[in-house]
Amino acid sequence: MQALASFSAFVGRSFAIWVIVFAVLAFLLPSTFSVFAPWIVTLLGIIMFGMGLTISAKDFAEVGRRPFDVFIGVAGQFLIMPLLAVLLTRVIPMSPEVAAGVILVGCCPGGTASNVMTYLGKGDVALSVACTSVTTLLAPIVTPFLVWMFASQYLPVDAMSMFMSIVKVILVPLALGFAIQKIAPAAVKAAVPALPLVSVVGIVLIVAAVVAVNQVKIAESGLLIFVVVVLHNGLGLLLGYFAARAAGLSLAKRKAISIEVGMQNSGLGAALAAAHFSPLAAVPSAVFSVWHNISGALVANWFSRMEEPGVKGSETATQKA
């Protein structure tokens, strides 16, 4: 079991590398990985079930303890990223399917990888986890509404159907994981070390499936999508940081909100795009999955060397306030 836990931790730390490797393999060998396309929703459900096994009541206690900080993070997530996506689709010419996909990933909640990057960047991990948890729970209502409001000009949007999809793939697995955590805590405690491996495998297969199914279209427009994703993610990280600074938050909190805003639950974006739009609309989410883990690691490394002016030593990742 110790060997499995060590291997799982290693895979979790090298997440970005595995995503890149299998995205390239899927592009070169599409027939090998396209078989996973029908399993995208199931794979995401498994990932969210794993999140449910680790989420705790104290994650939500942070909301009551410091609601203003969490509000800044949640508002930044659901305002900055969707509006940036809309701006990019207006400024850069792209097909309706790609535009809808860019907007969709911008309207998704924060991704759990943001919590890891915040830890590595010596940011406020408790705040990051609270923001991820709140945006995830709000996603069934907020994400379909934002997609309907901003993407309807490109493709038809069935907000109610999207709402039901998010409930099935996010809330139900989360609730099941949380319930099992309470019913069988010893078994869950034993399984937790293997969860990074499960999450990485799930995301890697989702990305590989999307790349494989869209291999020809990626060859035609992949560079454009990559540029849009890099701009979307980079501006999100930057504006998230400055929004937190404008709100008067400390350096550790600014780090957390910057990473939280810039990193999306792109697995959810890929699943929703494939189910409600088209395979091509899922490509921005797949590219986002690859890129935001690279950029997140780079930003975390930079943040880890930043210190609050006038404070001896940087604020640590274990800071709770």
Side-chain angles (χ1 to χ4, degrees), residues 250-289:
S250 68
L251 178 61
K253 295 174 183 178
R254 281 180 248 156
K255 294 175 182 180
I257 290 177
S258 169
I259 294 171
E260 192 66 28
V261 170
M263 298 187 71
Q264 304 293 88
N265 187 338
S266 45
L268 175 62
L272 292 176
H276 297 278
F277 292 148
S278 71
L280 180 57
V283 173
S285 291
V287 176
F288 210 107
S289 285

Side-chain angles (χ1 to χ4, degrees), residues 151-236:
S152 295
Q153 60 184 307
Y154 297 110
L155 294 175
V157 177
D158 186 339
M160 182 53 67
S161 177
M162 194 172 287
F163 163 79
M164 293 305 300
S165 292
I166 299 176
V167 168
K168 291 176 184 176
V169 81
I170 296 286
L171 292 192
V172 172
L174 270 177
L176 285 174
F178 187 76
I180 291 175
Q181 180 187 158
K182 300 303 179 185
I183 295 169
V188 169
K189 185 176 180 180
V192 162
L195 291 181
L197 177 60
V198 174
S199 296
V200 170
V201 170
I203 289 293
V204 161
L205 291 179
I206 289 172
V207 172
V210 172
V211 170
V213 170
N214 293 281
Q215 192 252 17
V216 174
K217 292 178 180 176
I218 290 174
E220 296 172 353
S221 57
L223 181 59
L224 168 68
I225 295 173
F226 179 74
V227 170
V228 171
V229 165
V230 169
L231 288 172
H232 194 189
N233 170 245
L235 290 171

Side-chain angles (χ1 to χ4, degrees), residues 47 125 129 220 244 294:
I47 294 167
V125 178
V129 172
E220 296 172 353
I294 298 171

